[in-house]
Amino acid sequence: MKILIIGAEDRYARHMPEDIPVTRTIEKIFLPRGASDEEIIAAGRDCEFLAADPMTKVSRAAIEGLPHLKMIHSEGVGFNGFDVEAAREAGIYVCNCKGANAGAVAEQTILLILGFLRQITEGDRRERIGEQMQMKETMMVKGLKEVSDCKIGLIGFGDIAKATAERLRGFGCELYYSSLHRKDTETEKAFHVTYLTQEELLSVCDVVSLHCAVTDDTRNMVNAEFLTRMKREAFLVNTARGDLVDNEALVQAIVEERIAGAALDTVFPEPTTIENPLLHLPEGFENRILFSPHVGGATASSMKRSHRILWQAVQDMTEGRRPENIVNQL
């Protein structure tokens, strides 16, 4: 048996669960992220399994060029780069590590909320250039907002949004959510959240946090109309996918002071290019966006959970069992 892995060999070695037998017996073939269709087909022609970073492109051409392939498994939760329909047509399972990074990304969400509210990057910069008192005086006059003073809205209410809601409870803030389908009363009570339509949520919340998948309906959902519906003093948080946001519309909303700003762990396209307009706000607006380099799910614990799920799926299939977390439901 063989598995083609598109990703860093040292990362797989570090997080591989030694107690799952197939990890010791299967032949592993590695390719770097960004491998072409031709490279994938040449390296994986005899492989039954393929594991890849969620952002890796696994195209229809690549899938059709791998005749023995039985399963494509995301190393994480996302599977944006995989041609799921082509895999379904070929009878190939596409699986992900559902829930593995929920707690880690929830922590990152809260970090970004706190970092934006407390102006953490500007404070750090000005402290380093001898302007500690000037920054402190500005903050004391303006008045920093506490999380407990905020109405926080979660768009989407899957594993990560639920983990975020759990962790925000201790801050004493009001929590709202919107989703395609409203949850049952017991779930809302358990997570102390109130359902609002997306339009209602945008109009009342001080923090709008994205927790939904990228689909044809959600791609660029954060557009000019979406941002116009937000409160002027509100800010956007994105720890989901950069594809959800129209970059130009976000820049325009910030520069025109229609929203306070944004805190982003994910940016489209990825990797972030130096030409991205989000990196080039006009003078005086530089601190209106707080960035982190898409590391919300990159904790050691999250990676270990993900790799355990991935390798267990391979083990299950080698023993004739259906894998867990199938996203294309054959």
Side-chain angles (χ1 to χ4, degrees):
M1 289 184 300
K2 297 180 181 180
I3 182 170
L4 175 63
I5 298 172
I6 305 176
E9 187 169 356
D10 58 351
R11 189 167 73 240
Y12 274 78
R14 178 177 176 82
H15 301 299
M16 191 171 296
E18 296 180 357
D19 59 334
I20 297 180
V22 75
T23 62
R24 299 188 295 274
T25 58
I26 196 168
E27 181 180 345
K28 307 171 190 70
I29 301 168
F30 287 89
L31 284 177
R33 183 192 290 121
S36 67
D37 288 347
E38 292 76 16
E39 291 170 323
I40 291 172
I41 293 168
R45 192 176 300 278
D46 298 328
C47 293
E48 292 92 347
F49 307 103
L50 189 156
D53 178 283
M55 305 306 293
T56 294
K57 297 298 181 187
V58 182
S59 70
R60 175 178 291 272
I63 290 169
E64 291 176 349
L66 301 175
H68 302 289
L69 196 61
K70 299 176 181 177
M71 179 178 69
I72 302 169
H73 207 297
S74 171
E75 189 187 358
V77 175
F79 47 92
N80 305 51
F82 308 165
D83 192 325
V84 175
E85 180 60 22
R88 187 192 63 77
E89 291 173 9
I92 297 166
Y93 293 118
V94 177
C95 304
N96 72 344
C97 300
K98 183 181 185 301
N101 66 355
V105 179
E107 287 186 8
Q108 192 77 10
T109 302
I110 294 168
L111 168 69
L112 290 173
I113 292 171
L114 286 167
F116 191 92
L117 288 174
R118 297 302 177 107
Q119 301 175 43
I120 194 72
T121 52
E122 185 179 6
D124 177 86
R125 179 182 63 80
R126 295 186 66 179
E127 180 89 11
R128 292 174 186 275
I129 61 174
E131 296 183 359
Q132 179 251 327
M133 285 308 300
Q134 293 93 319
M135 184 66 182
K136 182 175 181 180
E137 289 293 342
T138 299
M139 289 180 165
M140 291 173 68
V141 171
K142 182 180 179 181
L144 295 170
K145 181 178 283 189
E146 298 178 17
V147 178
S148 61
D149 295 325
C150 294
K151 293 180 173 69
I152 297 180
L154 309 172
I155 296 186
F157 204 64
D159 294 323
I160 294 172
K162 289 175 180 176
T164 301
E166 282 183 324
R167 287 156 175 76
L168 282 170
R169 274 188 61 195
F171 286 90
C173 52
E174 294 182 34
L175 288 171
Y176 301 88
Y177 81 99
S178 68
S179 64
L180 192 58
H181 303 289
R182 183 173 180 173
K183 306 303 177 183
D184 56 74
T185 302
E186 290 73 21
T187 298
E188 292 181 352
K189 287 181 178 179
F191 290 96
H192 298 264
V193 293
T194 300
Y195 174 80
L196 294 175
T197 66
Q198 182 173 295
E199 185 173 346
E200 291 169 333
L201 184 150
L202 295 178
S203 70
V204 303
C205 286
D206 305 289
V207 181
V208 175
S209 188
L210 304 180
H211 299 281
C212 46
V214 177
T215 66
D216 290 340
D217 293 328
T218 62
R219 187 173 284 103
N220 285 332
M221 65 180 285
V222 181
N223 55 21
E225 181 181 358
F226 180 106
L227 294 161
T228 299
R229 296 181 185 279
M230 288 176 60
K231 296 166 62 176
R232 295 180 71 90
E233 64 272 22
F235 66 96
L236 179 78
V237 178
N238 188 8
T239 53
R241 285 288 181 267
D243 312 58
L244 298 171
V245 178
D246 180 329
N247 292 344
E248 295 287 355
L250 180 57
V251 168
Q252 197 70 15
I254 292 172
V255 171
E256 294 177 358
E257 299 191 302
R258 286 186 277 116
I259 65 169
L264 309 173
D265 187 48
T266 55
V267 170
F268 178 83
E270 191 170 7
T272 307
T273 62
I274 196 65
E275 295 82 15
N276 195 302
L278 296 172
L279 303 180
H280 300 284
L281 294 181
E283 185 177 353
F285 291 88
E286 303 93 334
N287 297 303
R288 296 294 187 94
I289 297 183
L290 172 62
F291 293 101
S292 57
H294 202 170
V295 293
T299 65
S301 293
S302 175
M303 295 299 293
K304 285 186 179 298
R305 287 190 292 269
S306 293
H307 280 245
R308 173 166 291 279
I309 291 170
L310 188 162
W311 286 110
Q312 186 59 55
V314 176
Q315 182 72 44
D316 287 344
M317 288 202 68
T318 62
E319 296 178 354
R321 294 189 296 273
R322 183 181 172 90
E324 300 289 333
N325 303 321
I326 300 167
V327 301
N328 63 338
Q329 297 305 328
L330 297 180

